[in-house]
Amino acid sequence: SNAEYRFLGNRKQEIESGRGEAYMKNILVIMNLQNGLVNSPEKTAMAQKILALTQKHIFDRVVCVKFVNRDDGVFPKYHRYYDMHKGKEVELIDDLTADLVINRSVYSCVSDDFIQKVVKINDGDNLQELFLCGIGTDKSILKSALDLFERDIKPIILTEYCIPNDSSAITQLKG
């Protein structure tokens, strides 16, 4: 869609004209595009759409966040969810490349370590905003967006490039 082009274009025009903030790299954070989580026709279609977005070179940097379950983590303990530990299921989908890959074992990707690593690929400049997309709008993306907001970093959720992890939520969206 042209929405992301318009948004980024307007933002760059404001910055270049001196009306905007100092230029910050446009950083896309992609969540959960892993073999074990792209497990339905809807998620496969969304993964291909996100992959095509990355190939448009709209973003200066791409960060991929992977969910890697831990034996001693909260998902086995409270949800009895034991998948996504290792192997092919935790790997990123084919053809997806990133400037930075971060593992997480909880809903949110936002931590001090995450912020430090993303600041580093932003040439050491503090983060003002991050673009979010991927699988897990209903949990991971929402929790990460809220955590970014609480750190005074503007989360911009690219809703056209998001899908819930819960298949019942997909049915409700189609509704």
Side-chain angles (χ1 to χ4, degrees):
S1 104
N2 290 327
E4 61 270 357
Y5 286 112
R6 280 195 306 274
F7 176 80
L8 295 175
N10 291 342
R11 184 171 169 273
K12 285 183 179 177
Q13 285 174 349
E14 287 177 4
I15 291 164
E16 289 168 0
S17 69
R19 293 190 313 262
E21 299 178 35
Y23 181 73
M24 182 196 133
K25 292 188 180 338
N26 292 310
I27 300 173
L28 177 65
V29 178
I30 302 173
M31 299 196 62
N32 305 329
L33 244 56
Q34 298 164 257
N35 293 320
L37 297 174
V38 179
N39 55 12
S40 72
E42 294 90 354
K43 290 178 189 173
T44 300
M46 182 57 68
Q48 291 307 308
K49 188 175 177 180
I50 293 168
L51 188 59
L53 175 66
T54 65
Q55 294 168 349
K56 292 178 183 178
H57 304 291
I58 298 168
F59 297 94
D60 300 306
R61 299 285 186 264
V62 174
V63 176
C64 288
V65 178
K66 298 186 338 180
F67 174 72
V68 181
N69 206 355
R70 294 181 12 203
D71 289 332
D72 63 345
V74 294
F75 286 92
K77 184 176 181 178
Y78 297 112
H79 293 298
R80 296 178 191 203
Y81 182 71
Y82 302 98
D83 295 339
M84 300 300 294
H85 277 275
K86 59 185 174 184
K88 188 152 178 70
E89 70 179 356
V90 298
E91 292 175 12
L92 295 173
I93 62 168
D94 290 341
D95 301 322
L96 182 61
T97 59
D99 299 289
L100 176 63
V101 177
I102 295 187
N103 294 344
R104 66 180 174 81
S105 61
V106 293
Y107 284 119
S108 179
C109 66
V110 180
S111 65
D112 290 341
D113 182 59
F114 171 85
I115 298 296
Q116 289 169 0
K117 288 178 178 177
V118 178
V119 164
K120 187 174 181 179
I121 67 167
N122 192 41
D123 297 333
D125 293 333
N126 287 332
L127 303 174
Q128 299 165 11
E129 63 190 23
L130 291 174
F131 296 86
L132 303 173
C133 70
I135 296 173
T137 318
D138 53 328
K139 294 177 183 88
S140 303
I141 295 171
L142 176 60
K143 177 71 166 95
S144 298
L146 292 170
D147 289 348
L148 288 169
F149 174 80
E150 289 180 349
R151 288 177 180 249
D152 197 24
I153 300 168
K154 182 180 180 181
I156 301 170
I157 300 173
L158 301 178
T159 57
E160 293 180 37
Y161 297 92
C162 292
I163 191 167
N165 200 23
D166 182 356
S167 59
S168 65
I170 294 171
T171 304
Q172 291 171 0
L173 286 174
K174 288 182 175 179

